[in-house]
Amino acid sequence: EVQLVESGGSVVRPGGSLRLSCAASGFTFDDNAMSWVRQAPGKGLEWVSGINWNGGNTDYADSVKGRFTISRDNAKNSLYLQMNSLRAEDTALYHCARAASSDFYWYFDLWGRGTLVTVSS
Amino acid sequence: EIVLTQSPDILSLSPGERATLSCRASQSVSSSYLAWYQQKPGQAPRLLIYGASSRATGIPDRFSGSGSGTDFTLTISRLEPEDFAVYYCQQYGSSPPNTFGQGTKLEIK
């Protein structure tokens, strides 16, 4: 089955760190760029970060630049998001999304159901 | 940055009716790089339309997209019960890329 499954979300204190993972299956992982897209409770979608097919190019939303790092391991069919210096406003459901291209500046044709990150003291 | 504004915020219709959802961009979207997604509660977003008017794989033909430049429309010709959801537009052709509209909730009247 073609799917993306996120994990790693939890409750963390402000200033803390967390690493999210996304396991891909059912398709050739290194054919596609990948992104993280988040959704604050009751809110809309916000693109967070993207990585191209081989990890050689990445980009971030201004709201997370310098705090989050995206990476991938094509041998493990996995995508990651290292989140440091977390803030209350980072509280959201984090979706892993596949770009329909080797470039992450594209639309997303496959999404995971998300993993919940709550930043609270 | 291109800002996408969707209207209306909430659309109340009955099954069988026609739905027209709007997405307006603050600047022209290059090459009609505009996508539409459907999201139901507790589910991941699902790609409906890309390139402003191309249906994604497996999407019923009652869904259609149109528009160019700054004005785009998603039309659902005859609403089925499973179509009631939140719909988002996304532009992916300009920098910064991958911005989304705020969403339109399509609810049963």
Side-chain angles (χ1 to χ4, degrees):
Chain A
E1 182 183 1
V2 177
Q3 62 177 355
L4 298 169
V5 179
E6 303 91 337
S7 62
S10 71
V11 179
V12 61
R13 294 189 184 278
S17 297
L18 208 56
R19 190 193 195 207
L20 306 184
S21 299
C22 170
S25 59
F27 65 97
T28 304
F29 184 63
D30 57 9
D31 274 353
N32 298 83
M34 300 293 295
S35 279
W36 289 96
V37 179
R38 68 184 180 185
Q39 194 165 24
K43 302 297 184 181
L45 301 168
E46 178 191 17
W47 179 79
V48 173
S49 180
I51 187 167
N52 75 332
W53 70 277
N54 66 358
N57 189 22
T58 61
D59 199 12
Y60 301 88
D62 287 344
S63 57
V64 307
K65 200 168 290 185
R67 300 188 297 123
F68 291 10
T69 302
I70 191 171
S71 62
R72 65 190 294 163
D73 185 337
N74 288 344
K76 295 183 177 180
N77 292 337
S78 293
L79 176 73
Y80 306 101
L81 186 67
Q82 178 66 43
M83 310 166 68
N84 298 331
S85 303
L86 282 161
R87 306 168 180 168
E89 55 264 36
D90 296 319
T91 294
L93 185 66
Y94 283 74
H95 297 278
C96 169
R98 183 181 76 178
S101 169
S102 56
D103 184 351
F104 52 84
Y105 295 144
W106 213 241
Y107 61 89
F108 306 114
D109 64 355
L110 179 67
W111 296 67
R113 297 186 67 170
T115 186
L116 183 61
V117 173
T118 303
V119 184
S120 174
S121 55
Chain B
E1 174 180 336
I2 292 183
V3 176
L4 299 179
T5 302
Q6 294 184 240
S7 61
D9 288 333
I10 301 174
L11 182 58
S12 299
L13 294 171
S14 300
E17 290 193 292
R18 180 185 186 91
T20 302
L21 287 67
S22 174
C23 177
R24 178 161 290 178
S26 58
Q27 306 169 44
S28 182
V29 176
S30 61
S31 303
S32 295
Y33 286 158
L34 195 287
W36 289 93
Y37 301 88
Q38 176 194 69
Q39 188 178 32
K40 297 179 182 179
Q43 296 186 19
R46 178 174 72 145
L47 176 68
L48 299 175
I49 301 287
Y50 62 92
S53 61
S54 297
R55 267 189 304 276
T57 303
I59 301 304
D61 61 7
R62 64 180 181 274
F63 290 90
S64 63
S66 62
S68 64
T70 61
D71 289 298
F72 298 88
T73 300
L74 174 69
T75 301
I76 310 171
S77 58
R78 292 175 307 279
L79 285 166
E80 298 287 344
E82 62 267 27
D83 297 337
F84 292 91
V86 179
Y87 292 83
Y88 295 95
C89 58
Q90 176 218 352
Q91 69 84 18
Y92 53 95
S94 303
S95 179
N98 297 338
T99 52
F100 293 89
Q102 85 279 11
T104 290
K105 182 179 181 180
L106 178 56
E107 64 176 26
I108 299 177
K109 187 174 182 179

